[in-house]
Amino acid sequence: MMMPSDPQKGFRENADLIHVIQEKKLSRRKLLMSLGRTGAVAATGLGLLASKGFGMQSVPDAVYDNAGSNADPRIDTILRKQGHLWIDLEEDFPVIPPESDDTGRLMRAVAHIETSGTNNRKLYLTKSDYFISSTIHIRKRGIQIIGLRHGRPTDPSGKTEGGTRINYTGTGACFELGEPATEFADTAQGFTLDHITLTSTGSTRLSLNNPMAISAGRGNYGAGTYGVKDNNNGNVELRNVQIERFEYGFWGMYSDVNTFDLVNLFYNKVGMFLGLACSQNTLRELYTIGNDTALWIKGASGLRVQDCQFVKDGSQSSAPIIIEDHHSPYDSVFFHRCWFEAGSSHRLDSFVQISCGANAEPSKSIVFRDSCLAIGAKVNGEPICKYFVRVGNASQVLIDEVTAFPHNLKKLVAFEGNYSPQRVTFRGCVDWDYGDGFMDDKLGTGEAKMITHIYTSEGVVFYESLTIKKPSFVHAYTDVNQPVSAGKLTKIAFSSIKSDHNNEFNPLTSSFKAKTSGIYLITVFVTCRQQLQANRIKLSIHTANSSTPLVYMDDMQSESEFISSKGTFPLQLNSNELFDIRVFTEKTVTIQAGEAVTYFSVIKIS
């Protein structure tokens, strides 16, 4: 390296430069031009840029405009530009007339990052409001766009020190990552938004169905708009971000390993859509309000939803949370410590719909754990939300320790369609009162199994019944005398029900239909009156309406006026299998009415 012929001359020139800077006689642009690259490096080496006498600021102080004791932004600009620390949109990419919004300069900044070859990929937006009229396309990895702070620029309380908002006046995506494709690509992997609000403010609007949004005067969204659209990339980070009034707040396909921290989704048609192969996404402290659908999971897997609040989303025609086509062996959705709220203005069929619809793919491994159901009180006896979960085609669904106000629902779960099998497991220790003791409604013809686990002082109790503490139990009797002709098997009419915990006995047909598989203990006592002596009576069990007895419970001879036939038998039944009780007599008799003389009982023992 060639040394200057007069070292003192270099120091004298720098001293002169220092004096000019101190007197603030040199503009920022002229200072940079005067120094050039070599000069700036030399100045750094001489300690000029680190000198407190020149008002050096830290990076956060410079970004957030926190003035030091002798702050001089010109010196900080030199350090930033030489160190490739970040890009300031206001300083580095001003609006060029006749531009009327911020679209052009934001595009220029992104293009600079993508084409300059620098690792300087942090772009700071330091105003309160920006206006973007067309899509900002991100085609390279690792770009970070950072605002001043999170929150709206102004809020209802009158505060004005809010964060940075991008008002998107166009259609399509505000930020689009990569190119649409049919398989995974990672060209734009690693995109970050931090301390930013995205709001769709374009003129092409459609109406939301959500009553909360309508009542707040925010009942419309930008048709065909996306806050962030990711085509096959992933590693997206949204931190302290608010997205509102888009058709899709976030939309992803093949969008893997994303992290959403402290994200607000307000008044969108769909707050977040995670499509095919969007695996291993994490949502932490998500807050949604007033969306038609807050979260739509269609073919995604490995989703973790933690400490999130879903507040007053959905409507009569749209569920707040939809999970469908979720059928791979490793699929899972895990909700932990979440808040599910439906307000008095709502009328929801269900808060969560799982694989619903005629052509739905099956779903599996879906867990709701340690969550709170903030369901408003019933109105005129009718629930504002019928079901917490509606299951169309699913298995391995677990509802574990869901508390607060589940009794304001009609039922906890509804099974629909003709799918087989459907299985939901409830595990908890609270006995919820749904009036008839059931936790589910069957709205279709498919096989639906609900398993309840109860914690007791004697250990864990497993029931395949549909109630928490009530096993299958029926007690019925005859309340009207029944004539029985001789020589044929006649069904006994147990026409009055005293107890039926699970609604399994039909008094019109006098048949019992098991809702779950197991062993049932059957007890029958029948009293008959006969006119002739020396009569023989048989008591039998018949399954599936068969005319052939499965087993005889009693076979006896009697010569008295009254004859009592009785028997007890343990019967193995499958789910939906039915049986009835019949009597055969050689002589004409009359079955005597009365709860104490002709009765029937069933209890499930295993």
Side-chain angles (χ1 to χ4, degrees):
M1 180 176 178
M2 183 178 294
M3 297 296 294
S5 57
D6 184 1
Q8 295 302 318
K9 179 180 178 182
F11 286 109
R12 286 195 300 272
E13 291 176 349
N14 283 321
D16 292 339
L17 179 60
I18 292 169
H19 176 72
V20 171
I21 295 172
Q22 287 176 325
E23 295 298 321
K24 299 185 179 180
K25 296 178 180 179
L26 193 60
S27 70
R28 183 182 304 179
R29 185 177 296 276
K30 289 182 179 179
L31 176 60
L32 290 172
M33 293 176 62
S34 300
L35 284 174
R37 181 175 179 84
T38 303
V41 172
T44 303
L46 291 170
L48 299 181
L49 300 184
S51 170
K52 292 184 179 179
F54 292 96
M56 267 309 302
Q57 295 175 282
S58 68
V59 172
D61 286 343
V63 172
Y64 294 103
D65 199 22
N66 299 324
S69 57
N70 294 292
D72 192 327
R74 295 174 298 174
I75 302 301
D76 185 68
T77 299
I78 298 171
L79 178 62
R80 174 174 63 80
K81 288 184 177 295
Q82 294 301 318
H84 299 291
L85 297 178
W86 73 85
I87 295 170
D88 186 321
L89 187 67
E90 295 304 306
E91 181 179 292
D92 299 322
F93 292 92
V95 172
I96 300 175
E99 293 175 343
S100 59
D101 64 15
D102 303 287
T103 308
R105 61 174 174 156
L106 192 53
M107 287 181 172
R108 291 193 294 275
V110 170
H112 167 75
I113 292 172
E114 294 180 342
T115 60
S116 64
T118 178
N119 282 326
N120 180 2
R121 300 192 176 191
K122 286 185 177 180
L123 174 60
Y124 280 93
L125 310 182
T126 55
K127 288 198 313 180
S128 289
D129 273 289
Y130 291 84
F131 292 86
I132 306 298
S133 57
S134 58
T135 299
I136 306 300
H137 213 130
I138 308 296
R139 295 182 173 88
K140 292 292 180 67
R141 297 185 181 194
I143 293 179
Q144 302 179 54
I145 299 177
I146 306 169
L148 279 173
R149 58 187 71 85
H150 70 285
R152 296 177 178 174
T154 58
D155 67 21
S157 67
K159 295 178 181 178
T160 58
E161 67 273 18
T164 298
R165 176 171 58 190
I166 295 176
N167 300 275
Y168 184 59
T169 62
T171 58
C174 181
F175 290 98
E176 182 157 14
L177 315 182
E179 306 289 346
T182 57
E183 59 184 21
F184 181 78
D186 63 356
T187 56
Q189 197 175 70
F191 175 73
T192 298
L193 284 181
D194 196 346
H195 289 78
I196 294 285
T197 292
L198 301 180
T199 304
S200 171
T201 58
S203 59
T204 306
R205 316 300 291 180
L206 291 176
S207 296
L208 292 170
N209 296 318
N210 179 270
M212 164 66 187
I214 294 170
S215 65
R218 297 178 177 273
N220 60 73
Y221 63 93
T225 58
Y226 304 77
V228 178
K229 185 179 183 183
D230 182 23
N231 301 296
N232 320 303
N233 297 281
N235 198 212
V236 176
E237 292 186 48
L238 302 184
R239 298 190 297 259
N240 294 296
V241 169
Q242 183 165 299
I243 304 177
E244 53 183 38
R245 306 184 77 176
F246 287 85
E247 184 162 343
Y248 292 90
F250 176 87
W251 183 97
M253 291 282 283
Y254 287 87
S255 187
D256 280 359
V257 201
N258 300 325
T259 302
F260 305 97
D261 279 328
L262 293 166
V263 174
N264 296 340
L265 300 173
F266 293 169
Y267 313 117
N268 302 285
K269 181 66 176 175
V270 178
M272 183 172 293
F273 174 81
L274 298 174
L276 183 64
C278 289
S279 63
Q280 303 176 65
N281 283 265
T282 300
L283 282 62
R284 286 190 291 260
E285 297 188 56
L286 181 76
Y287 180 56
T288 73
I289 189 169
N291 304 278
D292 276 2
T293 294
L295 181 60
W296 185 1
I297 305 160
K298 187 176 176 64
S301 61
L303 177 64
R304 298 170 293 274
V305 185
Q306 303 170 10
D307 301 300
C308 297
Q309 298 183 68
F310 301 93
V311 178
K312 299 180 181 178
D313 299 300
S315 68
Q316 287 184 318
S317 58
S318 51
I321 299 172
I322 299 172
I323 304 171
E324 59 181 345
D325 297 351
H326 191 257
H327 54 279
S328 299
Y330 50 83
D331 280 349
S332 63
V333 179
F334 179 76
F335 293 86
H336 190 201
R337 297 190 306 264
C338 291
W339 177 281
F340 304 93
E341 180 176 337
S344 59
S345 62
H346 280 67
R347 293 296 183 272
L348 302 180
D349 178 79
S350 61
F351 212 104
V352 183
Q353 288 190 357
I354 302 176
S355 282
C356 295
N359 300 313
E361 293 283 351
S363 293
K364 62 174 61 176
S365 301
I366 302 166
V367 176
F368 301 90
R369 176 167 284 137
D370 297 334
S371 296
C372 183
L373 299 188
I375 307 299
K378 295 178 180 179
V379 178
N380 297 323
E382 292 296 321
I384 62 174
C385 179
K386 290 183 181 179
Y387 310 106
F388 175 43
V389 179
R390 187 181 182 110
V391 180
N393 187 10
S395 62
Q396 299 174 355
V397 178
L398 172 64
I399 302 173
D400 185 6
E401 296 291 356
V402 177
T403 60
F405 297 97
H407 55 273
N408 285 338
L409 299 164
K410 181 176 183 286
K411 297 291 176 65
L412 186 67
V413 178
F415 295 98
E416 70 170 14
N418 57 0
Y419 306 100
S420 179
Q422 302 174 87
R423 192 177 80 229
V424 175
T425 300
F426 169 81
R427 187 164 60 213
C429 58
V430 180
D431 187 356
W432 295 333
D433 180 13
Y434 292 104
D436 58 3
F438 296 102
M439 291 192 296
D440 81 311
D441 267 347
K442 285 186 172 58
L443 308 179
T445 59
E447 177 188 345
K449 178 182 288 186
M450 189 158 186
I451 304 172
T452 58
H453 299 190
I454 309 168
Y455 301 108
T456 72
S457 59
E458 299 176 353
V460 180
V461 180
F462 298 89
Y463 288 146
E464 286 189 351
S465 70
L466 302 180
T467 62
I468 298 177
K469 292 185 175 179
K470 299 177 182 177
S472 293
F473 175 68
V474 170
H475 182 192
Y477 61 93
T478 297
D479 59 4
V480 177
N481 289 349
Q482 179 186 356
V484 177
S485 300
K488 66 177 183 178
L489 285 162
T490 302
K491 184 185 293 187
I492 301 175
F494 296 100
S495 51
S496 185
I497 298 176
K498 188 170 184 179
S499 297
D500 186 358
H501 285 183
N502 291 337
N503 195 27
E504 292 170 294
F505 185 73
N506 185 347
L508 299 178
T509 61
S510 287
S511 58
F512 176 94
K513 186 177 182 180
K515 287 194 172 179
T516 57
S517 301
I519 299 174
Y520 294 79
L521 185 63
I522 303 164
T523 301
V524 181
F525 189 96
V526 179
T527 301
C528 298
R529 184 174 184 176
Q530 56 189 21
Q531 300 299 320
L532 299 175
Q533 307 300 315
N535 188 22
R536 183 183 183 187
I537 289 183
K538 297 181 180 181
L539 198 62
S540 57
I541 297 175
H542 296 250
T543 58
N545 287 318
S546 172
S547 60
T548 303
L550 174 70
V551 66
Y552 285 102
M553 303 177 72
D554 196 9
D555 185 353
M556 65 174 300
Q557 295 276 353
S558 176
E559 296 183 358
S560 62
E561 180 181 358
F562 292 95
I563 179 172
S564 295
S565 182
K566 56 186 178 294
T568 299
F569 187 79
L571 182 61
Q572 176 80 48
L573 293 173
N574 295 320
S575 176
N576 296 320
E577 189 173 4
L578 58 82
F579 74 88
D580 58 72
I581 305 298
R582 304 185 191 186
V583 64
F584 174 87
T585 174
E586 291 181 344
K587 312 292 184 182
T588 299
V589 299
T590 299
I591 296 177
Q592 300 299 288
E595 183 180 346
V597 295
T598 301
Y599 59 83
F600 159 85
S601 69
V602 180
I603 187 168
K604 187 176 181 183
I605 61 176
S606 173

